[in-house]
Amino acid sequence: MIKRRIRSLADQISVLALLATAALPLPSVSAWGSSGNSDFDSSIYGMSKQRDWMSESTSISLKFEGCVWGYVNDRENMGCMDDESGDGTTYWYMMANCRRAQAAYSMYATSSGSTSCNKRDFKESFVTKDGVSEFVYNIGTYGYSPPVTADDVDSLPICEYDGSQYYYGTGCSSSGQFTIDLFSDAYCTQFYQTADYLSNFNSAMKSLNKCYNTYSSKTDEDPSYSLASILVSESGHCSQAESSLCKSNDFVQNSGSYSSSSGQRAAARFTSGSGSFTNNLKYGLGFAMMLGTLIMFVGILFTNRKKRRAMMHRKFRHSGGESTSGRSKARSKSKSKSKSSRKLKKKRDASRGQSSPREGSGGGIFA
C-alpha cells in the first residue's frame, strides 16, 4: 500500500512538470531550407550576419590599424607546409598553426553623406588572411588614388632561405610596424631577430591611417563590387581579444545581452526579462521531476527491504516449527519405546513368579 502511494505521488509530480514545460513558450527557429519567421534575426549566429551596413551605406572607409601576426588561409602559398606531416610532429604542428604578417584595419560606414571614421560610424575591425602583400595589391588595383601599390611589396619576402643558417620573412614588431625578421626554422615560425625595420614602407602605410575611402555611392554603382567588399571577403573578424590593435564593436561587447534598439537579438529572450523567469521556471520543474523520481526510488527501496525482512521472519519461524515437531516426534518415540520395554519387563517378572511355586510343590511330594 505504501509503495503504491509513493509511486502515484512521484508520477503525479513528473506529469505536472512535463505538462508545465510543454506549455511554456519557445522561440521559433526555422528548419533548414524553410523560409521561417521573417522577424527572426539570424545575426545572432556570427559577425558574418552583421554586415548589412555594406549594402545600406553611401560611404565606406577604412583605417589601417597596424601589423598583426595572424593565421593564413593558404599554408602552401604562404611558405608553410602542405597538408602532410612528413617532417615530424613538431613541424606538422607549426604547419597547422602557420602565421604571417597580416594587416589589421577597421571599417567605418554611414548611410548619409560621407564618413570621417569617427566612433559613431565604426562598424567592425578586420585582419587579412593572405598577407600584407595581397592587402596592398588590392588597394593599389581597386582603390582611389592609392598611397601604396604592388611595387611597394614586391620585394617583401614571405619565407626564404638566407643562404647561411637562417630563414627570413616579413614580420611584425611589438608596436605594430612591419619588419623583416630572421627565423631559425624552415617555415618561419621560430623568431630569431629583426633584420630590417622597413621605415619607408611603414611611412607609406601611415597614409591609410587617415580614413581611406573604399566606397562612395557617388562614383560606384554597387558596393558589392567595391574595394570594401573585396577586402572584407579576404579578411576575418578581429576584436580586442585577438589583438590590441583591433576594436570590438557593440555586437561583440553586448553579445547575448538584451537591447531595446532595432538590433534586438532573439537570443536576448533567454538572458533577460521574461526569459529569465522562463528559464527559472524550467529549472524548478526539472528539479521537481528529479525529486519525484528520487522519492519513488527511495520508497521502492524501503518497501522491498520490509518485504525481505518479513520473508526472512516467516522462513525462520517455519524452520523453527519443523525442528520443534521433529524433536517432539523423537520424544514420543522414545517414550513409547520405554513404555513397551517396561511392559515387557513386567511380563517377564510375572512369568518367573508363577513358575517358582510349582517347582517347590513338586519337590516336596517326591521326597
Side-chain angles (χ1 to χ4, degrees), residues 177-214:
Q177 302 289 316
F178 292 99
T179 58
I180 300 297
D181 296 333
L182 296 179
F183 301 88
S184 59
D185 65 300
Y187 306 107
C188 294
T189 59
Q190 302 297 313
F191 173 79
Y192 176 67
Q193 68 180 16
T194 299
D196 190 350
Y197 288 95
L198 299 176
S199 57
N200 293 333
F201 177 68
N202 287 311
S203 297
M205 292 294 289
K206 285 183 179 179
S207 301
L208 297 174
N209 292 342
K210 302 176 182 178
C211 196
Y212 181 72
N213 184 257
T214 57

PDB file of all heavy atoms in Angstrom, residues 177-214:
ATOM      1  N   GLN A 177      54.459  47.650 -36.343  1.00  0.00           N
ATOM      2  CA  GLN A 177      55.141  48.023 -37.583  1.00  0.00           C
ATOM      3  C   GLN A 177      55.585  46.767 -38.337  1.00  0.00           C
ATOM      4  O   GLN A 177      55.853  45.724 -37.732  1.00  0.00           O
ATOM      5  CB  GLN A 177      56.367  48.886 -37.273  1.00  0.00           C
ATOM      6  CG  GLN A 177      56.058  50.157 -36.511  1.00  0.00           C
ATOM      7  CD  GLN A 177      55.320  51.179 -37.364  1.00  0.00           C
ATOM      8  OE1 GLN A 177      55.661  51.419 -38.515  1.00  0.00           O
ATOM      9  NE2 GLN A 177      54.297  51.789 -36.782  1.00  0.00           N
ATOM     10  N   PHE A 178      55.682  46.867 -39.673  1.00  0.00           N
ATOM     11  CA  PHE A 178      56.173  45.762 -40.484  1.00  0.00           C
ATOM     12  C   PHE A 178      57.704  45.731 -40.438  1.00  0.00           C
ATOM     13  O   PHE A 178      58.365  46.778 -40.467  1.00  0.00           O
ATOM     14  CB  PHE A 178      55.689  45.889 -41.927  1.00  0.00           C
ATOM     15  CG  PHE A 178      54.213  45.688 -42.080  1.00  0.00           C
ATOM     16  CD1 PHE A 178      53.346  46.777 -42.171  1.00  0.00           C
ATOM     17  CD2 PHE A 178      53.680  44.406 -42.122  1.00  0.00           C
ATOM     18  CE1 PHE A 178      51.987  46.586 -42.297  1.00  0.00           C
ATOM     19  CE2 PHE A 178      52.314  44.205 -42.248  1.00  0.00           C
ATOM     20  CZ  PHE A 178      51.465  45.296 -42.337  1.00  0.00           C
ATOM     21  N   THR A 179      58.247  44.531 -40.395  1.00  0.00           N
ATOM     22  CA  THR A 179      59.696  44.342 -40.316  1.00  0.00           C
ATOM     23  C   THR A 179      60.112  43.158 -41.177  1.00  0.00           C
ATOM     24  O   THR A 179      59.261  42.378 -41.644  1.00  0.00           O
ATOM     25  CB  THR A 179      60.140  44.083 -38.871  1.00  0.00           C
ATOM     26  OG1 THR A 179      59.454  42.908 -38.371  1.00  0.00           O
ATOM     27  CG2 THR A 179      59.837  45.272 -37.963  1.00  0.00           C
ATOM     28  N   ILE A 180      61.424  43.017 -41.381  1.00  0.00           N
ATOM     29  CA  ILE A 180      61.998  41.806 -41.972  1.00  0.00           C
ATOM     30  C   ILE A 180      62.724  41.087 -40.837  1.00  0.00           C
ATOM     31  O   ILE A 180      63.673  41.617 -40.257  1.00  0.00           O
ATOM     32  CB  ILE A 180      62.976  42.137 -43.114  1.00  0.00           C
ATOM     33  CG1 ILE A 180      62.261  42.911 -44.228  1.00  0.00           C
ATOM     34  CG2 ILE A 180      63.594  40.865 -43.661  1.00  0.00           C
ATOM     35  CD1 ILE A 180      61.158  42.137 -44.913  1.00  0.00           C
ATOM     36  N   ASP A 181      62.259  39.889 -40.525  1.00  0.00           N
ATOM     37  CA  ASP A 181      62.787  39.131 -39.383  1.00  0.00           C
ATOM     38  C   ASP A 181      63.510  37.870 -39.836  1.00  0.00           C
ATOM     39  O   ASP A 181      63.214  37.316 -40.914  1.00  0.00           O
ATOM     40  CB  ASP A 181      61.652  38.757 -38.429  1.00  0.00           C
ATOM     41  CG  ASP A 181      60.991  39.970 -37.806  1.00  0.00           C
ATOM     42  OD1 ASP A 181      61.672  41.008 -37.686  1.00  0.00           O
ATOM     43  OD2 ASP A 181      59.800  39.865 -37.450  1.00  0.00           O
ATOM     44  N   LEU A 182      64.419  37.426 -39.010  1.00  0.00           N
ATOM     45  CA  LEU A 182      65.116  36.163 -39.212  1.00  0.00           C
ATOM     46  C   LEU A 182      64.465  35.094 -38.336  1.00  0.00           C
ATOM     47  O   LEU A 182      64.081  35.361 -37.191  1.00  0.00           O
ATOM     48  CB  LEU A 182      66.599  36.294 -38.858  1.00  0.00           C
ATOM     49  CG  LEU A 182      67.427  37.248 -39.707  1.00  0.00           C
ATOM     50  CD1 LEU A 182      68.870  37.278 -39.211  1.00  0.00           C
ATOM     51  CD2 LEU A 182      67.380  36.857 -41.181  1.00  0.00           C
ATOM     52  N   PHE A 183      64.384  33.874 -38.909  1.00  0.00           N
ATOM     53  CA  PHE A 183      63.761  32.753 -38.214  1.00  0.00           C
ATOM     54  C   PHE A 183      64.727  31.567 -38.231  1.00  0.00           C
ATOM     55  O   PHE A 183      65.512  31.406 -39.162  1.00  0.00           O
ATOM     56  CB  PHE A 183      62.436  32.364 -38.863  1.00  0.00           C
ATOM     57  CG  PHE A 183      61.429  33.489 -38.880  1.00  0.00           C
ATOM     58  CD1 PHE A 183      61.407  34.396 -39.931  1.00  0.00           C
ATOM     59  CD2 PHE A 183      60.531  33.645 -37.846  1.00  0.00           C
ATOM     60  CE1 PHE A 183      60.484  35.431 -39.957  1.00  0.00           C
ATOM     61  CE2 PHE A 183      59.612  34.688 -37.855  1.00  0.00           C
ATOM     62  CZ  PHE A 183      59.588  35.585 -38.912  1.00  0.00           C
ATOM     63  N   SER A 184      64.614  30.735 -37.213  1.00  0.00           N
ATOM     64  CA  SER A 184      65.530  29.600 -37.090  1.00  0.00           C
ATOM     65  C   SER A 184      64.992  28.330 -37.729  1.00  0.00           C
ATOM     66  O   SER A 184      65.713  27.331 -37.798  1.00  0.00           O
ATOM     67  CB  SER A 184      65.833  29.333 -35.609  1.00  0.00           C
ATOM     68  OG  SER A 184      64.631  29.067 -34.896  1.00  0.00           O
ATOM     69  N   ASP A 185      63.744  28.332 -38.204  1.00  0.00           N
ATOM     70  CA  ASP A 185      63.180  27.122 -38.816  1.00  0.00           C
ATOM     71  C   ASP A 185      62.793  27.411 -40.264  1.00  0.00           C
ATOM     72  O   ASP A 185      62.700  28.569 -40.690  1.00  0.00           O
ATOM     73  CB  ASP A 185      61.950  26.642 -38.042  1.00  0.00           C
ATOM     74  CG  ASP A 185      60.810  27.630 -38.114  1.00  0.00           C
ATOM     75  OD1 ASP A 185      61.007  28.775 -37.663  1.00  0.00           O
ATOM     76  OD2 ASP A 185      59.745  27.271 -38.631  1.00  0.00           O
ATOM     77  N   ALA A 186      62.563  26.354 -41.028  1.00  0.00           N
ATOM     78  CA  ALA A 186      62.299  26.468 -42.459  1.00  0.00           C
ATOM     79  C   ALA A 186      60.909  26.996 -42.773  1.00  0.00           C
ATOM     80  O   ALA A 186      60.611  27.283 -43.931  1.00  0.00           O
ATOM     81  CB  ALA A 186      62.484  25.113 -43.135  1.00  0.00           C
ATOM     82  N   TYR A 187      60.033  27.146 -41.762  1.00  0.00           N
ATOM     83  CA  TYR A 187      58.673  27.610 -42.001  1.00  0.00           C
ATOM     84  C   TYR A 187      58.417  28.968 -41.374  1.00  0.00           C
ATOM     85  O   TYR A 187      57.276  29.407 -41.293  1.00  0.00           O
ATOM     86  CB  TYR A 187      57.670  26.566 -41.478  1.00  0.00           C
ATOM     87  CG  TYR A 187      57.931  25.205 -42.067  1.00  0.00           C
ATOM     88  CD1 TYR A 187      58.499  24.200 -41.293  1.00  0.00           C
ATOM     89  CD2 TYR A 187      57.665  24.946 -43.410  1.00  0.00           C
ATOM     90  CE1 TYR A 187      58.770  22.957 -41.838  1.00  0.00           C
ATOM     91  CE2 TYR A 187      57.935  23.712 -43.954  1.00  0.00           C
ATOM     92  CZ  TYR A 187      58.482  22.719 -43.175  1.00  0.00           C
ATOM     93  OH  TYR A 187      58.771  21.497 -43.722  1.00  0.00           O
ATOM     94  N   CYS A 188      59.490  29.618 -40.932  1.00  0.00           N
ATOM     95  CA  CYS A 188      59.418  30.982 -40.405  1.00  0.00           C
ATOM     96  C   CYS A 188      58.386  31.109 -39.286  1.00  0.00           C
ATOM     97  O   CYS A 188      57.507  32.006 -39.302  1.00  0.00           O
ATOM     98  CB  CYS A 188      59.107  31.976 -41.525  1.00  0.00           C
ATOM     99  SG  CYS A 188      60.433  32.100 -42.758  1.00  0.00           S
ATOM    100  N   THR A 189      58.488  30.230 -38.320  1.00  0.00           N
ATOM    101  CA  THR A 189      57.616  30.288 -37.154  1.00  0.00           C
ATOM    102  C   THR A 189      58.388  30.551 -35.868  1.00  0.00           C
ATOM    103  O   THR A 189      57.804  30.999 -34.882  1.00  0.00           O
ATOM    104  CB  THR A 189      56.830  28.973 -37.002  1.00  0.00           C
ATOM    105  OG1 THR A 189      57.752  27.885 -36.862  1.00  0.00           O
ATOM    106  CG2 THR A 189      55.941  28.725 -38.212  1.00  0.00           C
ATOM    107  N   GLN A 190      59.711  30.278 -35.875  1.00  0.00           N
ATOM    108  CA  GLN A 190      60.538  30.487 -34.683  1.00  0.00           C
ATOM    109  C   GLN A 190      61.385  31.750 -34.869  1.00  0.00           C
ATOM    110  O   GLN A 190      62.400  31.743 -35.575  1.00  0.00           O
ATOM    111  CB  GLN A 190      61.436  29.264 -34.451  1.00  0.00           C
ATOM    112  CG  GLN A 190      60.671  27.963 -34.285  1.00  0.00           C
ATOM    113  CD  GLN A 190      59.777  27.975 -33.058  1.00  0.00           C
ATOM    114  OE1 GLN A 190      60.204  28.364 -31.977  1.00  0.00           O
ATOM    115  NE2 GLN A 190      58.533  27.542 -33.236  1.00  0.00           N
ATOM    116  N   PHE A 191      60.942  32.847 -34.239  1.00  0.00           N
ATOM    117  CA  PHE A 191      61.613  34.135 -34.399  1.00  0.00           C
ATOM    118  C   PHE A 191      63.026  34.096 -33.798  1.00  0.00           C
ATOM    119  O   PHE A 191      63.246  33.571 -32.707  1.00  0.00           O
ATOM    120  CB  PHE A 191      60.789  35.229 -33.734  1.00  0.00           C
ATOM    121  CG  PHE A 191      61.459  36.567 -33.694  1.00  0.00           C
ATOM    122  CD1 PHE A 191      61.475  37.378 -34.823  1.00  0.00           C
ATOM    123  CD2 PHE A 191      62.083  37.023 -32.535  1.00  0.00           C
ATOM    124  CE1 PHE A 191      62.090  38.624 -34.791  1.00  0.00           C
ATOM    125  CE2 PHE A 191      62.702  38.260 -32.497  1.00  0.00           C
ATOM    126  CZ  PHE A 191      62.712  39.057 -33.630  1.00  0.00           C
ATOM    127  N   TYR A 192      63.974  34.721 -34.561  1.00  0.00           N
ATOM    128  CA  TYR A 192      65.346  34.817 -34.066  1.00  0.00           C
ATOM    129  C   TYR A 192      65.707  36.272 -33.758  1.00  0.00           C
ATOM    130  O   TYR A 192      66.028  36.614 -32.627  1.00  0.00           O
ATOM    131  CB  TYR A 192      66.320  34.221 -35.089  1.00  0.00           C
ATOM    132  CG  TYR A 192      67.771  34.372 -34.696  1.00  0.00           C
ATOM    133  CD1 TYR A 192      68.290  33.688 -33.600  1.00  0.00           C
ATOM    134  CD2 TYR A 192      68.624  35.205 -35.417  1.00  0.00           C
ATOM    135  CE1 TYR A 192      69.625  33.826 -33.226  1.00  0.00           C
ATOM    136  CE2 TYR A 192      69.958  35.358 -35.055  1.00  0.00           C
ATOM    137  CZ  TYR A 192      70.442  34.670 -33.964  1.00  0.00           C
ATOM    138  OH  TYR A 192      71.757  34.815 -33.585  1.00  0.00           O
ATOM    139  N   GLN A 193      65.635  37.143 -34.765  1.00  0.00           N
ATOM    140  CA  GLN A 193      65.904  38.557 -34.546  1.00  0.00           C
ATOM    141  C   GLN A 193      65.400  39.361 -35.744  1.00  0.00           C
ATOM    142  O   GLN A 193      65.087  38.812 -36.796  1.00  0.00           O
ATOM    143  CB  GLN A 193      67.398  38.810 -34.333  1.00  0.00           C
ATOM    144  CG  GLN A 193      68.250  38.568 -35.566  1.00  0.00           C
ATOM    145  CD  GLN A 193      69.727  38.835 -35.319  1.00  0.00           C
ATOM    146  OE1 GLN A 193      70.174  38.923 -34.182  1.00  0.00           O
ATOM    147  NE2 GLN A 193      70.495  38.969 -36.393  1.00  0.00           N
ATOM    148  N   THR A 194      65.337  40.700 -35.578  1.00  0.00           N
ATOM    149  CA  THR A 194      64.880  41.599 -36.640  1.00  0.00           C
ATOM    150  C   THR A 194      66.067  42.053 -37.482  1.00  0.00           C
ATOM    151  O   THR A 194      67.101  42.458 -36.943  1.00  0.00           O
ATOM    152  CB  THR A 194      64.173  42.821 -36.037  1.00  0.00           C
ATOM    153  OG1 THR A 194      63.026  42.374 -35.301  1.00  0.00           O
ATOM    154  CG2 THR A 194      63.717  43.778 -37.127  1.00  0.00           C
ATOM    155  N   ALA A 195      65.886  41.979 -38.807  1.00  0.00           N
ATOM    156  CA  ALA A 195      66.958  42.369 -39.724  1.00  0.00           C
ATOM    157  C   ALA A 195      66.720  43.747 -40.350  1.00  0.00           C
ATOM    158  O   ALA A 195      67.671  44.466 -40.659  1.00  0.00           O
ATOM    159  CB  ALA A 195      67.104  41.326 -40.832  1.00  0.00           C
ATOM    160  N   ASP A 196      65.452  44.145 -40.563  1.00  0.00           N
ATOM    161  CA  ASP A 196      65.157  45.425 -41.211  1.00  0.00           C
ATOM    162  C   ASP A 196      63.818  45.937 -40.672  1.00  0.00           C
ATOM    163  O   ASP A 196      62.849  45.167 -40.539  1.00  0.00           O
ATOM    164  CB  ASP A 196      65.086  45.237 -42.727  1.00  0.00           C
ATOM    165  CG  ASP A 196      65.018  46.561 -43.485  1.00  0.00           C
ATOM    166  OD1 ASP A 196      64.830  47.615 -42.827  1.00  0.00           O
ATOM    167  OD2 ASP A 196      65.155  46.543 -44.718  1.00  0.00           O
ATOM    168  N   TYR A 197      63.727  47.231 -40.389  1.00  0.00           N
ATOM    169  CA  TYR A 197      62.512  47.816 -39.827  1.00  0.00           C
ATOM    170  C   TYR A 197      61.590  48.432 -40.882  1.00  0.00           C
ATOM    171  O   TYR A 197      60.538  48.970 -40.533  1.00  0.00           O
ATOM    172  CB  TYR A 197      62.869  48.866 -38.777  1.00  0.00           C
ATOM    173  CG  TYR A 197      63.407  48.242 -37.508  1.00  0.00           C
ATOM    174  CD1 TYR A 197      64.771  48.104 -37.325  1.00  0.00           C
ATOM    175  CD2 TYR A 197      62.542  47.769 -36.523  1.00  0.00           C
ATOM    176  CE1 TYR A 197      65.276  47.523 -36.165  1.00  0.00           C
ATOM    177  CE2 TYR A 197      63.033  47.192 -35.363  1.00  0.00           C
ATOM    178  CZ  TYR A 197      64.404  47.068 -35.188  1.00  0.00           C
ATOM    179  OH  TYR A 197      64.894  46.488 -34.034  1.00  0.00           O
ATOM    180  N   LEU A 198      61.961  48.395 -42.166  1.00  0.00           N
ATOM    181  CA  LEU A 198      61.109  48.832 -43.285  1.00  0.00           C
ATOM    182  C   LEU A 198      60.505  50.228 -43.023  1.00  0.00           C
ATOM    183  O   LEU A 198      59.278  50.427 -43.082  1.00  0.00           O
ATOM    184  CB  LEU A 198      59.980  47.819 -43.526  1.00  0.00           C
ATOM    185  CG  LEU A 198      60.409  46.397 -43.910  1.00  0.00           C
ATOM    186  CD1 LEU A 198      59.192  45.490 -44.023  1.00  0.00           C
ATOM    187  CD2 LEU A 198      61.167  46.412 -45.225  1.00  0.00           C
ATOM    188  N   SER A 199      61.337  51.182 -42.773  1.00  0.00           N
ATOM    189  CA  SER A 199      60.860  52.523 -42.452  1.00  0.00           C
ATOM    190  C   SER A 199      60.102  53.170 -43.606  1.00  0.00           C
ATOM    191  O   SER A 199      59.072  53.831 -43.395  1.00  0.00           O
ATOM    192  CB  SER A 199      62.039  53.414 -42.037  1.00  0.00           C
ATOM    193  OG  SER A 199      63.023  53.447 -43.071  1.00  0.00           O
ATOM    194  N   ASN A 200      60.564  52.997 -44.840  1.00  0.00           N
ATOM    195  CA  ASN A 200      59.884  53.604 -45.997  1.00  0.00           C
ATOM    196  C   ASN A 200      58.492  53.004 -46.201  1.00  0.00           C
ATOM    197  O   ASN A 200      57.512  53.727 -46.445  1.00  0.00           O
ATOM    198  CB  ASN A 200      60.728  53.429 -47.266  1.00  0.00           C
ATOM    199  CG  ASN A 200      62.018  54.213 -47.206  1.00  0.00           C
ATOM    200  OD1 ASN A 200      62.108  55.241 -46.528  1.00  0.00           O
ATOM    201  ND2 ASN A 200      63.038  53.739 -47.920  1.00  0.00           N
ATOM    202  N   PHE A 201      58.399  51.721 -46.105  1.00  0.00           N
ATOM    203  CA  PHE A 201      57.105  51.068 -46.310  1.00  0.00           C
ATOM    204  C   PHE A 201      56.129  51.440 -45.194  1.00  0.00           C
ATOM    205  O   PHE A 201      54.946  51.700 -45.451  1.00  0.00           O
ATOM    206  CB  PHE A 201      57.294  49.552 -46.378  1.00  0.00           C
ATOM    207  CG  PHE A 201      56.014  48.780 -46.520  1.00  0.00           C
ATOM    208  CD1 PHE A 201      55.266  48.861 -47.677  1.00  0.00           C
ATOM    209  CD2 PHE A 201      55.546  47.985 -45.484  1.00  0.00           C
ATOM    210  CE1 PHE A 201      54.063  48.160 -47.815  1.00  0.00           C
ATOM    211  CE2 PHE A 201      54.363  47.280 -45.609  1.00  0.00           C
ATOM    212  CZ  PHE A 201      53.624  47.372 -46.774  1.00  0.00           C
ATOM    213  N   ASN A 202      56.588  51.479 -43.958  1.00  0.00           N
ATOM    214  CA  ASN A 202      55.712  51.847 -42.846  1.00  0.00           C
ATOM    215  C   ASN A 202      55.235  53.293 -42.964  1.00  0.00           C
ATOM    216  O   ASN A 202      54.089  53.613 -42.599  1.00  0.00           O
ATOM    217  CB  ASN A 202      56.432  51.640 -41.514  1.00  0.00           C
ATOM    218  CG  ASN A 202      56.575  50.169 -41.161  1.00  0.00           C
ATOM    219  OD1 ASN A 202      55.604  49.424 -41.218  1.00  0.00           O
ATOM    220  ND2 ASN A 202      57.770  49.753 -40.791  1.00  0.00           N
ATOM    221  N   SER A 203      56.084  54.160 -43.501  1.00  0.00           N
ATOM    222  CA  SER A 203      55.666  55.548 -43.713  1.00  0.00           C
ATOM    223  C   SER A 203      54.565  55.625 -44.749  1.00  0.00           C
ATOM    224  O   SER A 203      53.609  56.420 -44.612  1.00  0.00           O
ATOM    225  CB  SER A 203      56.868  56.395 -44.154  1.00  0.00           C
ATOM    226  OG  SER A 203      57.861  56.431 -43.148  1.00  0.00           O
ATOM    227  N   ALA A 204      54.660  54.828 -45.813  1.00  0.00           N
ATOM    228  CA  ALA A 204      53.619  54.825 -46.845  1.00  0.00           C
ATOM    229  C   ALA A 204      52.304  54.273 -46.289  1.00  0.00           C
ATOM    230  O   ALA A 204      51.211  54.749 -46.641  1.00  0.00           O
ATOM    231  CB  ALA A 204      54.090  54.003 -48.048  1.00  0.00           C
ATOM    232  N   MET A 205      52.391  53.261 -45.417  1.00  0.00           N
ATOM    233  CA  MET A 205      51.172  52.682 -44.846  1.00  0.00           C
ATOM    234  C   MET A 205      50.470  53.636 -43.891  1.00  0.00           C
ATOM    235  O   MET A 205      49.265  53.505 -43.650  1.00  0.00           O
ATOM    236  CB  MET A 205      51.518  51.385 -44.117  1.00  0.00           C
ATOM    237  CG  MET A 205      51.978  50.254 -45.023  1.00  0.00           C
ATOM    238  SD  MET A 205      50.676  49.671 -46.145  1.00  0.00           S
ATOM    239  CE  MET A 205      49.595  48.852 -44.999  1.00  0.00           C
ATOM    240  N   LYS A 206      51.187  54.594 -43.340  1.00  0.00           N
ATOM    241  CA  LYS A 206      50.567  55.559 -42.436  1.00  0.00           C
ATOM    242  C   LYS A 206      49.515  56.410 -43.139  1.00  0.00           C
ATOM    243  O   LYS A 206      48.625  56.972 -42.487  1.00  0.00           O
ATOM    244  CB  LYS A 206      51.632  56.463 -41.827  1.00  0.00           C
ATOM    245  CG  LYS A 206      52.457  55.786 -40.747  1.00  0.00           C
ATOM    246  CD  LYS A 206      53.448  56.775 -40.136  1.00  0.00           C
ATOM    247  CE  LYS A 206      54.273  56.110 -39.041  1.00  0.00           C
ATOM    248  NZ  LYS A 206      55.254  57.058 -38.450  1.00  0.00           N
ATOM    249  N   SER A 207      49.605  56.495 -44.482  1.00  0.00           N
ATOM    250  CA  SER A 207      48.602  57.261 -45.231  1.00  0.00           C
ATOM    251  C   SER A 207      47.223  56.619 -45.115  1.00  0.00           C
ATOM    252  O   SER A 207      46.202  57.301 -45.286  1.00  0.00           O
ATOM    253  CB  SER A 207      49.010  57.365 -46.698  1.00  0.00           C
ATOM    254  OG  SER A 207      50.272  58.004 -46.826  1.00  0.00           O
ATOM    255  N   LEU A 208      47.199  55.326 -44.824  1.00  0.00           N
ATOM    256  CA  LEU A 208      45.913  54.639 -44.669  1.00  0.00           C
ATOM    257  C   LEU A 208      45.326  54.823 -43.277  1.00  0.00           C
ATOM    258  O   LEU A 208      44.223  54.341 -43.010  1.00  0.00           O
ATOM    259  CB  LEU A 208      46.092  53.134 -44.955  1.00  0.00           C
ATOM    260  CG  LEU A 208      46.541  52.775 -46.375  1.00  0.00           C
ATOM    261  CD1 LEU A 208      46.808  51.281 -46.471  1.00  0.00           C
ATOM    262  CD2 LEU A 208      45.494  53.206 -47.393  1.00  0.00           C
ATOM    263  N   ASN A 209      46.068  55.476 -42.391  1.00  0.00           N
ATOM    264  CA  ASN A 209      45.541  55.730 -41.050  1.00  0.00           C
ATOM    265  C   ASN A 209      44.592  56.918 -41.014  1.00  0.00           C
ATOM    266  O   ASN A 209      43.988  57.189 -39.965  1.00  0.00           O
ATOM    267  CB  ASN A 209      46.696  56.014 -40.075  1.00  0.00           C
ATOM    268  CG  ASN A 209      47.537  54.776 -39.841  1.00  0.00           C
ATOM    269  OD1 ASN A 209      47.106  53.665 -40.117  1.00  0.00           O
ATOM    270  ND2 ASN A 209      48.738  54.964 -39.333  1.00  0.00           N
ATOM    271  N   LYS A 210      44.446  57.605 -42.131  1.00  0.00           N
ATOM    272  CA  LYS A 210      43.681  58.861 -42.152  1.00  0.00           C
ATOM    273  C   LYS A 210      42.298  58.703 -42.775  1.00  0.00           C
ATOM    274  O   LYS A 210      41.795  59.620 -43.407  1.00  0.00           O
ATOM    275  CB  LYS A 210      44.455  59.929 -42.924  1.00  0.00           C
ATOM    276  CG  LYS A 210      45.835  60.212 -42.347  1.00  0.00           C
ATOM    277  CD  LYS A 210      46.589  61.201 -43.208  1.00  0.00           C
ATOM    278  CE  LYS A 210      47.986  61.467 -42.665  1.00  0.00           C
ATOM    279  NZ  LYS A 210      48.756  62.413 -43.527  1.00  0.00           N
ATOM    280  N   CYS A 211      41.700  57.531 -42.629  1.00  0.00           N
ATOM    281  CA  CYS A 211      40.347  57.290 -43.153  1.00  0.00           C
ATOM    282  C   CYS A 211      40.358  57.271 -44.683  1.00  0.00           C
ATOM    283  O   CYS A 211      39.978  58.236 -45.359  1.00  0.00           O
ATOM    284  CB  CYS A 211      39.372  58.341 -42.642  1.00  0.00           C
ATOM    285  SG  CYS A 211      37.618  57.898 -42.837  1.00  0.00           S
ATOM    286  N   TYR A 212      40.775  56.154 -45.230  1.00  0.00           N
ATOM    287  CA  TYR A 212      40.879  55.991 -46.684  1.00  0.00           C
ATOM    288  C   TYR A 212      39.555  55.481 -47.235  1.00  0.00           C
ATOM    289  O   TYR A 212      39.015  54.460 -46.790  1.00  0.00           O
ATOM    290  CB  TYR A 212      42.005  55.021 -47.012  1.00  0.00           C
ATOM    291  CG  TYR A 212      42.214  54.788 -48.482  1.00  0.00           C
ATOM    292  CD1 TYR A 212      42.767  55.760 -49.290  1.00  0.00           C
ATOM    293  CD2 TYR A 212      41.836  53.579 -49.059  1.00  0.00           C
ATOM    294  CE1 TYR A 212      42.950  55.546 -50.638  1.00  0.00           C
ATOM    295  CE2 TYR A 212      42.019  53.353 -50.402  1.00  0.00           C
ATOM    296  CZ  TYR A 212      42.574  54.339 -51.197  1.00  0.00           C
ATOM    297  OH  TYR A 212      42.754  54.119 -52.551  1.00  0.00           O
ATOM    298  N   ASN A 213      39.002  56.170 -48.223  1.00  0.00           N
ATOM    299  CA  ASN A 213      37.700  55.824 -48.786  1.00  0.00           C
ATOM    300  C   ASN A 213      37.786  54.580 -49.660  1.00  0.00           C
ATOM    301  O   ASN A 213      38.639  54.467 -50.537  1.00  0.00           O
ATOM    302  CB  ASN A 213      37.154  56.998 -49.604  1.00  0.00           C
ATOM    303  CG  ASN A 213      35.758  56.731 -50.132  1.00  0.00           C
ATOM    304  OD1 ASN A 213      35.581  56.429 -51.294  1.00  0.00           O
ATOM    305  ND2 ASN A 213      34.768  56.841 -49.262  1.00  0.00           N
ATOM    306  N   THR A 214      36.871  53.638 -49.414  1.00  0.00           N
ATOM    307  CA  THR A 214      36.837  52.389 -50.192  1.00  0.00           C
ATOM    308  C   THR A 214      35.527  52.215 -50.969  1.00  0.00           C
ATOM    309  O   THR A 214      35.425  51.321 -51.800  1.00  0.00           O
ATOM    310  CB  THR A 214      37.008  51.185 -49.254  1.00  0.00           C
ATOM    311  OG1 THR A 214      35.973  51.206 -48.253  1.00  0.00           O
ATOM    312  CG2 THR A 214      38.375  51.212 -48.579  1.00  0.00           C
TER     313      THR A 214
END
